[in-house]
Amino acid sequence: LQQQPSCFKVRDIIESRVVQRILPVVESILKSNEVDFDLSVVYSKPGAPDQGWHADGDHQKGADDIQWNISMDGWKSHLADAYALCVFIPLIDLDDETGYTQFWPASHQSRGLAGFGPVAEITESVWNGKCNAGDAIWYDYRTMHRGMQNCSRKLRPVLQILFKRKWYSETRNYGTVGITDVKRDTSSECRQTATGAA
Protein backbone atom coordinates (compact mmCIF):
# COMPACT_ATOMS: atom_id res chain seq x y z
CA LEU A 1 0.00 0.00 0.00
CA GLN A 2 1.54 3.29 -1.10
CA GLN A 3 1.26 6.26 1.25
CA GLN A 4 0.05 9.61 -0.16
CA PRO A 5 2.07 12.76 0.50
CA SER A 6 1.00 14.36 3.78
CA CYS A 7 -0.13 17.68 2.30
CA PHE A 8 -3.11 15.97 0.66
CA LYS A 9 -4.21 14.64 4.05
CA VAL A 10 -3.97 18.10 5.62
CA ARG A 11 -6.77 19.45 3.42
CA ASP A 12 -8.97 16.50 4.39
CA ILE A 13 -8.28 17.08 8.10
CA ILE A 14 -8.93 20.83 7.84
CA GLU A 15 -12.12 20.20 5.85
CA SER A 16 -13.52 17.67 8.32
CA ARG A 17 -12.40 19.32 11.58
CA VAL A 18 -12.62 23.03 10.80
CA VAL A 19 -14.44 23.83 7.57
CA GLN A 20 -17.52 21.66 8.11
CA ARG A 21 -17.98 23.05 11.63
CA ILE A 22 -17.95 26.72 10.62
CA LEU A 23 -19.39 26.50 7.10
CA PRO A 24 -22.96 27.43 8.17
CA VAL A 25 -21.63 30.65 9.75
CA VAL A 26 -19.48 31.41 6.69
CA GLU A 27 -22.42 30.84 4.31
CA SER A 28 -24.51 33.21 6.42
CA ILE A 29 -21.85 35.95 6.33
CA LEU A 30 -21.17 35.51 2.61
CA LYS A 31 -24.92 35.22 1.96
CA SER A 32 -24.37 32.21 -0.25
CA ASN A 33 -24.49 28.44 0.00
CA GLU A 34 -22.13 28.31 -2.98
CA VAL A 35 -18.93 28.64 -0.94
CA ASP A 36 -15.51 27.13 -1.62
CA PHE A 37 -12.23 27.43 0.23
CA ASP A 38 -8.52 27.64 -0.48
CA LEU A 39 -5.92 26.45 2.00
CA SER A 40 -2.41 27.86 2.30
CA VAL A 41 0.37 28.49 4.76
CA VAL A 42 1.75 32.00 4.99
CA TYR A 43 4.84 32.73 7.04
CA SER A 44 7.32 35.32 8.20
CA LYS A 45 11.01 34.47 8.42
CA PRO A 46 13.17 35.42 11.42
CA GLY A 47 14.33 39.02 11.07
CA ALA A 48 11.56 39.98 8.62
CA PRO A 49 10.62 43.68 8.89
CA ASP A 50 7.13 45.17 9.19
CA GLN A 51 5.10 44.62 6.06
CA GLY A 52 3.34 47.50 4.31
CA TRP A 53 -0.37 48.04 4.80
CA HIS A 54 -2.50 46.23 2.23
CA ALA A 55 -5.75 44.40 1.62
CA ASP A 56 -5.53 40.95 0.09
CA GLY A 57 -8.82 41.36 -1.75
CA ASP A 58 -10.01 44.25 -3.88
CA HIS A 59 -13.42 45.81 -3.81
CA GLN A 60 -15.22 44.25 -6.74
CA LYS A 61 -15.95 46.34 -9.81
CA GLY A 62 -19.24 48.15 -9.40
CA ALA A 63 -19.48 47.30 -5.67
CA ASP A 64 -20.49 50.00 -3.20
CA ASP A 65 -18.44 51.39 -0.34
CA ILE A 66 -20.27 52.18 2.86
CA GLN A 67 -22.48 55.20 2.41
CA TRP A 68 -25.30 57.00 4.10
CA ASN A 69 -28.66 57.28 2.42
CA ILE A 70 -31.68 59.18 3.62
CA SER A 71 -34.77 57.02 3.50
CA MET A 72 -38.15 57.06 5.14
CA ASP A 73 -36.60 55.18 8.07
CA GLY A 74 -33.79 57.71 8.53
CA TRP A 75 -30.09 57.18 7.90
CA LYS A 76 -29.12 53.82 6.50
CA SER A 77 -25.69 52.29 6.03
CA HIS A 78 -24.96 50.04 3.07
CA LEU A 79 -21.86 48.13 2.07
CA ALA A 80 -21.41 45.65 -0.73
CA ASP A 81 -21.63 42.11 0.62
CA ALA A 82 -18.43 40.27 1.45
CA TYR A 83 -17.30 37.84 -1.23
CA ALA A 84 -14.45 36.29 0.77
CA LEU A 85 -13.51 35.74 4.41
CA CYS A 86 -10.06 34.82 5.59
CA VAL A 87 -9.36 32.74 8.68
CA PHE A 88 -5.84 32.84 10.14
CA ILE A 89 -4.88 29.98 12.46
CA PRO A 90 -1.34 30.50 13.81
CA LEU A 91 0.74 27.37 14.28
CA ILE A 92 2.82 29.05 17.02
CA ASP A 93 1.96 31.67 19.65
CA LEU A 94 2.00 35.19 18.17
CA ASP A 95 3.47 37.88 20.40
CA ASP A 96 5.77 40.92 20.25
CA GLU A 97 8.82 38.72 19.61
CA THR A 98 7.45 36.46 16.87
CA GLY A 99 5.27 39.20 15.43
CA TYR A 100 1.63 39.00 14.46
CA THR A 101 -0.77 40.47 11.95
CA GLN A 102 -1.99 44.00 12.67
CA PHE A 103 -5.45 44.92 11.39
CA TRP A 104 -7.28 48.18 10.67
CA PRO A 105 -10.83 47.27 11.75
CA ALA A 106 -13.64 48.43 9.46
CA SER A 107 -11.18 49.46 6.73
CA HIS A 108 -12.97 47.07 4.36
CA GLN A 109 -15.81 49.58 4.21
CA SER A 110 -14.04 51.95 1.80
CA ARG A 111 -11.71 51.36 -1.12
CA GLY A 112 -10.52 54.96 -0.61
CA LEU A 113 -8.42 53.90 2.40
CA ALA A 114 -5.85 52.07 0.27
CA GLY A 115 -2.53 53.81 0.81
CA PHE A 116 -3.60 55.37 4.10
CA GLY A 117 -2.51 52.56 6.48
CA PRO A 118 -0.33 54.88 8.60
CA VAL A 119 -3.51 56.79 9.53
CA ALA A 120 -4.64 53.71 11.46
CA GLU A 121 -1.49 53.89 13.57
CA ILE A 122 -1.70 57.65 14.16
CA THR A 123 -5.35 57.43 15.22
CA GLU A 124 -4.69 54.29 17.28
CA SER A 125 -7.29 52.45 15.25
CA VAL A 126 -5.35 49.19 14.95
CA TRP A 127 -6.05 45.78 16.40
CA ASN A 128 -3.02 43.59 17.09
CA GLY A 129 -3.58 39.93 16.28
CA LYS A 130 -1.57 38.54 19.19
CA CYS A 131 -2.96 35.11 20.01
CA ASN A 132 -2.11 31.54 20.91
CA ALA A 133 -1.34 28.73 18.52
CA GLY A 134 -4.60 27.25 17.27
CA ASP A 135 -6.69 30.38 17.85
CA ALA A 136 -8.56 31.74 14.84
CA ILE A 137 -8.76 35.30 13.52
CA TRP A 138 -11.49 36.01 10.95
CA TYR A 139 -11.62 39.02 8.68
CA ASP A 140 -13.25 40.33 5.52
CA TYR A 141 -10.78 39.82 2.67
CA ARG A 142 -10.93 43.57 1.90
CA THR A 143 -9.64 44.54 5.37
CA MET A 144 -6.36 46.48 5.51
CA HIS A 145 -3.65 44.68 7.49
CA ARG A 146 0.09 44.08 7.68
CA GLY A 147 2.46 41.52 9.09
CA MET A 148 4.58 42.88 11.94
CA GLN A 149 8.30 42.26 12.23
CA ASN A 150 9.57 38.88 13.37
CA CYS A 151 12.27 39.56 16.00
CA SER A 152 12.50 35.90 16.99
CA ARG A 153 14.74 33.16 15.69
CA LYS A 154 11.88 31.04 14.47
CA LEU A 155 9.63 30.91 11.46
CA ARG A 156 6.11 32.32 12.04
CA PRO A 157 3.75 29.95 10.16
CA VAL A 158 0.04 30.67 9.90
CA LEU A 159 -2.53 28.38 8.34
CA GLN A 160 -4.82 30.45 6.14
CA ILE A 161 -8.26 29.32 5.05
CA LEU A 162 -9.81 31.59 2.43
CA PHE A 163 -13.57 31.06 2.24
CA LYS A 164 -14.99 32.57 -0.93
CA ARG A 165 -18.00 32.61 -3.12
CA LYS A 166 -17.46 30.06 -5.87
CA TRP A 167 -17.18 32.70 -8.61
CA TYR A 168 -14.13 34.30 -6.95
CA SER A 169 -10.70 32.97 -7.92
CA GLU A 170 -7.69 34.10 -5.89
CA THR A 171 -4.69 34.48 -8.18
CA ARG A 172 -3.13 37.77 -7.11
CA ASN A 173 -1.58 36.88 -3.75
CA TYR A 174 -0.61 33.25 -3.72
CA GLY A 175 -0.18 32.07 -7.27
CA THR A 176 -2.50 29.95 -9.33
CA VAL A 177 -1.66 26.48 -8.00
CA GLY A 178 -2.67 25.62 -4.44
CA ILE A 179 -0.60 23.42 -2.16
CA THR A 180 -3.18 20.66 -2.44
CA ASP A 181 -3.49 21.01 -6.22
CA VAL A 182 -0.03 19.61 -6.89
CA LYS A 183 -0.32 16.52 -9.08
CA ARG A 184 -0.16 13.38 -7.05
CA ASP A 185 2.93 11.39 -7.86
CA THR A 186 4.93 8.56 -6.36
CA SER A 187 7.42 10.81 -4.58
CA SER A 188 7.16 11.20 -0.83
CA GLU A 189 7.71 14.96 -1.15
CA CYS A 190 5.02 17.54 -1.26
CA ARG A 191 5.92 20.90 -2.79
CA GLN A 192 4.53 24.04 -1.25
CA THR A 193 3.57 26.47 -4.00
CA ALA A 194 1.38 28.97 -2.19
CA THR A 195 3.18 31.19 0.29
CA GLY A 196 3.06 34.75 1.49
CA ALA A 197 3.58 36.84 4.63
CA ALA A 198 1.25 36.98 7.61
Side-chain angles (χ1 to χ4, degrees):
L1 184 66
Q2 188 175 7
Q3 187 174 8
Q4 295 179 354
S6 61
C7 72
F8 298 111
K9 294 179 183 177
V10 170
R11 182 177 173 92
D12 294 340
I13 292 168
I14 296 300
E15 186 163 10
S16 66
R17 305 240 172 130
V18 178
V19 173
Q20 292 306 317
R21 290 181 182 181
I22 62 176
L23 195 57
V25 175
V26 170
E27 289 175 341
S28 173
I29 293 169
L30 295 179
K31 297 180 181 175
S32 174
N33 59 2
E34 294 286 320
V35 174
D36 197 4
F37 75 97
D38 291 337
L39 179 64
S40 59
V41 174
V42 292
Y43 60 87
S44 175
K45 293 180 179 180
D50 289 347
Q51 193 179 40
W53 284 97
H54 65 282
D56 291 333
D58 288 328
H59 287 255
Q60 297 300 294
K61 185 176 182 178
D64 292 330
D65 286 347
I66 197 162
Q67 54 190 328
W68 296 100
N69 297 315
I70 297 176
S71 70
M72 293 181 68
D73 297 329
W75 291 97
K76 291 288 182 183
S77 172
H78 175 75
L79 175 68
D81 294 333
Y83 62 88
L85 292 174
C86 192
V87 178
F88 274 0
I89 303 174
L91 303 181
I92 63 168
D93 292 346
L94 304 183
D95 54 32
D96 288 325
E97 185 179 0
T98 61
Y100 47 87
T101 301
Q102 187 174 65
F103 296 89
W104 185 358
S107 59
H108 68 287
Q109 296 177 352
S110 175
R111 74 184 79 228
L113 294 176
F116 288 94
V119 171
E121 300 164 66
I122 294 167
T123 59
E124 299 180 355
S125 301
V126 298
W127 182 78
N128 296 325
K130 298 176 189 177
C131 58
N132 296 321
D135 288 347
I137 298 173
W138 299 50
Y139 63 96
D140 187 300
Y141 207 48
R142 301 167 290 184
T143 302
M144 300 278 290
H145 63 282
R146 66 181 183 151
M148 301 304 287
Q149 68 180 341
N150 183 348
C151 300
S152 74
R153 293 183 176 181
K154 52 187 168 184
L155 195 67
R156 182 175 81 218
V158 176
L159 180 67
Q160 176 180 289
I161 307 171
L162 175 63
F163 291 97
K164 57 195 176 53
R165 291 184 184 178
K166 287 203 176 194
W167 57 260
Y168 180 72
S169 177
E170 169 55 72
T171 59
R172 184 176 82 172
N173 295 294
Y174 310 108
T176 58
V177 179
I179 58 176
T180 59
D181 294 331
V182 177
K183 279 192 167 186
R184 295 179 189 226
D185 59 25
T186 56
S187 73
S188 61
E189 247 181 61
C190 193
R191 292 168 197 81
Q192 180 178 345
T193 59
T195 60

